[in-house]
Amino acid sequence: MQTIKAAVCRAFGDPLVIEDILIAPPGMGEVEVTLEAVAICHSDISFASGAWGGHLPAVYGHEAAGVISAVGEGAGGFKTGDCVVVTLIRACGSCPTCASGKPTICETPYNTVDGPLRTAEGEALDQAMACGAFAEKVVVSHRQIVKIPETLPKDLASLLSCGVITGVGAAVNAAALRPGQDVVVIGAGGVGLNAIQGARIAGARRIVAVDMTEEKLDIAMEFGATHGVLASQKQPWKAAYKALGGRGADVVLITVGAIPAYDQAPRYLGRGGKAIMIGMPHTGDMSTYEPVVLAALGQGIIGSKMGDVVIQRDIPWMIDLYEQGRLKLDELISGRWALSQINEAIEDTRSGAARRNVILFNKG
Ligand SMILES: [Zn+2]
Ligand SMILES: [Zn+2]
């Protein structure tokens, strides 16, 4: 076991505690990655607030990039020195859902409490989301990582682990958008901006961003939205119909966890349209809709985890599109912080103003 620094959650709702923890060497099929960057996602904040339960103490963090520093046996050809992004998608590769091309909903359980992490005292420490990337190193399955060019800055690369693949993947994979379709994106935060650029990349005709402030709608336009609608107005879907020439959307992408967004999403749909649920409400939150409308108009509501991504297939083309100037990454980062500042960075993300805050391990 090696000693590394990590931000540990000791009690839900409390600030994370920077402490020394122990990490095991990589086992069969695993690699150790020394992290250079980890982004803060709303999912980390939901976990740390206790919204989804889970074991404590725990190390969160799941949008990371770094360099492989040790390799276990049978680690898929990865080698020390490879630059990689680290995701939370610990797919087994052989269960029925993995084998049918849906690794984000792998059926094989993985016990994160028995993972590679221990407290300095040797007690159980949860490797939350099979990742535990609010730490200087992670030990993960080789199936969770994708090799990236050495020249791609790690802070930008870290965004590809979750926010970018979730948003772009929802538009391209889950919604299977065709050129010319009309899209409404509810929420213009970290995932929403990526859903917007995913819709743009897929060739959407009109992309209507829906959010609470003019400032966020302006940012949405920079990412490819053609129209903005303030969610704070009464019956905001009517403004969206107007933007779409009097009809509803072919696809509605719900990128926030707020229940009013789920309750209202079907109202934006046109005939035959489908709403994709991407944001993650808290456990126990309920939504209501009017089923007869969906039945009569041939509409659907579909859940999408992590953009239905296949990381080995999708991350490489997203990197190419970035290098060609067709996918924005630089503009997604609103702040860079040291690990010691993680609670401030989380607070900044929680306030809703930030796009993505990134922790840089070599900073301060
Ligand atoms: Zn995330
Ligand atoms: Zn599987």
Side-chain angles (χ1 to χ4, degrees), residues 36-96:
E36 292 184 18
V38 62
I40 294 167
C41 178
H42 283 280
S43 296
D44 297 310
I45 297 175
S46 291
F47 265 114
S49 70
W52 298 327
H55 184 276
L56 288 182
V59 179
Y60 304 116
H62 62 277
E63 298 198 22
V67 180
I68 294 182
S69 42
V71 178
E73 272 185 56
F78 286 99
K79 53 186 194 309
T80 302
D82 284 349
C83 296
V84 295
V85 293
V86 180
T87 74
L88 59 74
I89 306 166
R90 193 177 172 112
C92 74
S94 52
C95 73

Side-chain angles (χ1 to χ4, degrees), residues 72-355:
E73 272 185 56
F78 286 99
K79 53 186 194 309
T80 302
D82 284 349
C83 296
V84 295
V85 293
V86 180
T87 74
L88 59 74
I89 306 166
R90 193 177 172 112
C92 74
S94 52
C95 73
T97 50
C98 278
S100 58
K102 290 193 169 275
T104 58
I105 46 172
C106 173
E107 294 172 33
T108 305
Y110 168 67
N111 187 344
T112 56
V113 181
D114 287 337
L117 304 183
R118 295 287 177 274
T119 66
E121 294 75 40
E123 290 156 358
L125 176 58
D126 192 47
Q127 184 197 25
M129 294 165 272
C131 213
F134 289 161
E136 291 171 320
K137 294 183 177 189
V138 293
V139 167
V140 294
S141 163
H142 74 89
R143 294 183 196 278
Q144 289 174 254
I145 64 173
V146 174
K147 197 171 166 182
I148 59 171
E150 262 174 57
T151 48
L152 183 65
K154 302 295 189 297
D155 49 357
L156 301 179
S158 71
L159 307 178
L160 292 164
S161 310
C162 174
V164 174
I165 55 178
T166 299
V168 175
V172 172
N173 296 327
L177 266 171
R178 283 191 302 102
Q181 290 190 308
D182 284 324
V183 183
V184 168
V185 178
I186 302 179
V191 173
L193 293 174
N194 284 299
I196 288 166
Q197 59 177 345
R200 170 174 49 76
I201 289 163
R205 180 183 180 189
R206 292 167 292 208
I207 304 169
V208 181
V210 181
D211 208 314
M212 301 298 283
T213 67
E214 293 283 5
E215 188 201 350
K216 286 185 121 176
L217 296 180
D218 289 343
I219 298 168
M221 305 289 265
E222 289 168 30
F223 278 76
T226 58
H227 300 78
V229 165
L230 277 173
S232 51
Q233 65 189 292
K234 207 168 165 240
Q235 300 186 319
W237 51 89
K238 290 191 173 166
Y241 296 159
K242 206 172 160 201
L244 299 178
R247 54 197 301 277
D250 296 300
V251 168
V252 175
L253 301 167
I254 314 155
T255 69
V256 292
I259 286 303
Y262 287 82
D263 288 341
Q264 292 182 6
R267 309 296 294 267
Y268 292 89
L269 287 173
R271 289 166 188 266
K274 55 192 168 184
I276 312 290
M277 301 185 285
I278 307 157
M280 293 279 189
H282 291 183
T283 301
D285 284 353
M286 304 295 280
S287 177
T288 54
Y289 59 95
E290 194 176 350
V292 67
V293 176
L294 280 85
L297 301 181
Q299 297 164 333
I301 306 179
I302 301 160
S304 170
K305 187 177 180 197
M306 303 293 294
D308 295 10
V309 76
V310 177
I311 58 171
Q312 296 81 357
R313 177 192 68 190
D314 293 330
I315 288 179
W317 69 252
M318 291 179 192
I319 293 171
D320 280 2
L321 263 57
Y322 167 71
E323 289 176 345
Q324 296 164 7
R326 298 161 67 195
L327 179 87
K328 289 181 191 290
L329 293 179
D330 303 77
E331 296 84 349
L332 287 168
I333 298 183
S334 50
R336 293 173 173 81
W337 310 72
L339 182 63
S340 59
Q341 300 172 300
I342 191 165
N343 290 305
E344 290 165 70
I346 286 173
E347 210 38 61
D348 191 64
T349 302
R350 202 199 303 268
S351 74
R355 301 176 202 188

Side-chain angles (χ1 to χ4, degrees), residues 1-4 21-25 32 116-118 135 137-139:
M1 299 284 257
Q2 285 177 74
T3 300
I4 59 169
I21 65 163
L22 302 173
I23 189 166
E32 175 195 279
L117 304 183
R118 295 287 177 274
K137 294 183 177 189
V138 293
V139 167

